[in-house]
Amino acid sequence: MKRVLAISWEMPPMYGPRATQVSRTLGALVPLGWTPTVICLDPKRGGPHWRDSREAALPQGVDVVRVKSPEEWTIVRAAF
């Protein structure tokens, strides 16, 4: 079993070329025997980068670790 770690700012349900490209690439690795894991932003539900549709689903077999954006932290928002 081969493992690969990817780091991407955008992943579905976020929209954008990067989200589509990275999710399709990682999804294509699964049938080839790879176990992909991606670290990405945890988008705010209903926020400006949120896409609520069936095509926004992540491919089967891709593990996702979502990280909250520092921009959503209260202390950071207060500083701005």
Side-chain angles (χ1 to χ4, degrees):
M1 177 182 302
K2 299 172 269 186
R3 298 184 57 85
V4 63
L5 175 65
I7 300 172
S8 177
W9 181 261
E10 292 182 344
M11 283 295 286
M14 296 176 77
Y15 62 85
R18 172 127 339 146
T20 303
Q21 180 183 35
V22 174
S23 66
R24 286 183 182 169
T25 301
L26 294 177
L29 291 174
V30 174
L32 300 175
W34 288 84
T35 304
T37 301
V38 63
I39 299 172
C40 62
L41 178 69
D42 186 15
K44 186 172 155 184
R45 184 171 184 80
H49 300 287
W50 183 268
R51 177 174 59 182
D52 209 10
S53 70
R54 187 177 306 163
E55 78 177 47
L58 289 166
Q60 293 287 336
V62 177
D63 296 327
V64 180
V65 177
R66 296 199 184 269
V67 179
K68 294 269 186 206
S69 171
E71 293 174 357
E72 298 297 323
W73 298 348
T74 305
I75 190 79
V76 173
R77 294 183 74 103
F80 281 112

